[in-house]
Amino acid sequence: MRIHVADHPLITHKLTVLRDKTTPSPTFRQLVEELVTLLSYEATREVRVEPIDIETPVAPTTGVQISNPRPLAVPIIRAGLGMLDGFVKLVPSTQVGFIGIQRNEDTLQPETYAKRLPEDLSNRQCFVLDPMLATGGSLAATVDYLFEHGAQDVTAICLVAAPEGIEAMRKAVGDREFTLVVGAVDAGLNERGYITPGLGDAGDRLYGTAE
């Protein structure tokens, strides 16, 4: 497991505004898109490419293009949907699958309620989108599903993560090819299993349902 904390000043600045409880949903959504695009730049450093011959206005040359099979973006519904536009903006040729996993607030365990993914993920590079890595249950379940269906390597993009979630992912993925890209590692989890200082409930804040 590889971990990359993208502590660029622009990322830290945008995260600060994102954390502020007075930031309204429209601004929150825009910031999430911007942050995901910045984090995706780091997350796609090892995206597979192949050579291609082209003609510039001056001379022929050889460049690269995204290889087939194309990368697969997998937002975890619902909050992960708010990250999809930011990723697709950077990698427009990506394919998209969806998985719905929610945390049981009593047991803190993940519960899967929807899947829309290719059955065969052989040789695929997959990029999982989930704003918060808290206990790690939802992300671990998603990553397990992708590897079990043939994914070659998996990268997760999270806005913030708790140390407990990072350790849980380290145990869950073992020696499989997994990379975690995050904007910040926060202090830890509170008694309710929420990241502190965190962002609050990212899904509620994205879609304007916060009380």
Side-chain angles (χ1 to χ4, degrees), residues 23-101:
T23 298
S25 287
T27 304
F28 193 93
R29 285 193 294 271
Q30 181 61 39
L31 284 168
V32 167
E33 180 177 330
E34 293 171 4
L35 279 163
V36 173
T37 299
L38 292 171
L39 293 172
S40 297
Y41 178 81
E42 299 294 338
T44 54
R45 283 185 178 273
E46 302 298 325
V47 70
R48 290 197 296 269
V49 295
E50 59 190 16
I52 181 173
D53 294 325
I54 63 167
E55 293 273 351
T56 79
V58 179
T61 189
T62 300
V64 299
Q65 63 182 0
I66 302 294
S67 300
N68 285 314
R70 289 176 287 165
L72 180 71
V74 184
I76 299 179
I77 301 171
R78 70 178 167 150
L81 290 175
M83 302 173 68
L84 183 58
D85 285 348
F87 187 85
V88 172
K89 179 178 290 186
L90 189 71
V91 193
S93 64
T94 192
Q95 293 183 322
V96 180
F98 299 94
I99 190 163
I101 296 180

Side-chain angles (χ1 to χ4, degrees), residues 67-149:
S67 300
N68 285 314
R70 289 176 287 165
L72 180 71
V74 184
I76 299 179
I77 301 171
R78 70 178 167 150
L81 290 175
M83 302 173 68
L84 183 58
D85 285 348
F87 187 85
V88 172
K89 179 178 290 186
L90 189 71
V91 193
S93 64
T94 192
Q95 293 183 322
V96 180
F98 299 94
I99 190 163
I101 296 180
Q102 61 187 8
R103 183 172 64 172
N104 184 302
E105 294 301 330
D106 294 323
T107 66
L108 303 183
Q109 296 303 306
E111 297 178 344
T112 302
Y113 62 88
K115 287 177 184 174
R116 183 69 175 180
L117 293 162
E119 282 298 319
D120 184 9
L121 297 174
S122 299
N123 204 36
R124 297 296 290 264
Q125 286 183 298
C126 298
F127 295 86
V128 182
L129 309 177
D130 195 19
M132 316 281 285
L133 174 55
T135 62
S138 297
L139 185 57
T142 300
V143 170
D144 277 343
Y145 179 89
L146 297 175
F147 278 123
E148 287 168 3
H149 286 73

Side-chain angles (χ1 to χ4, degrees), residues 184-206:
V185 177
D186 281 8
L189 301 178
N190 64 16
E191 65 280 357
R192 296 182 60 198
Y194 285 102
I195 300 174
T196 180
L199 309 172
D201 188 308
D204 284 349
R205 298 192 68 191
L206 275 164

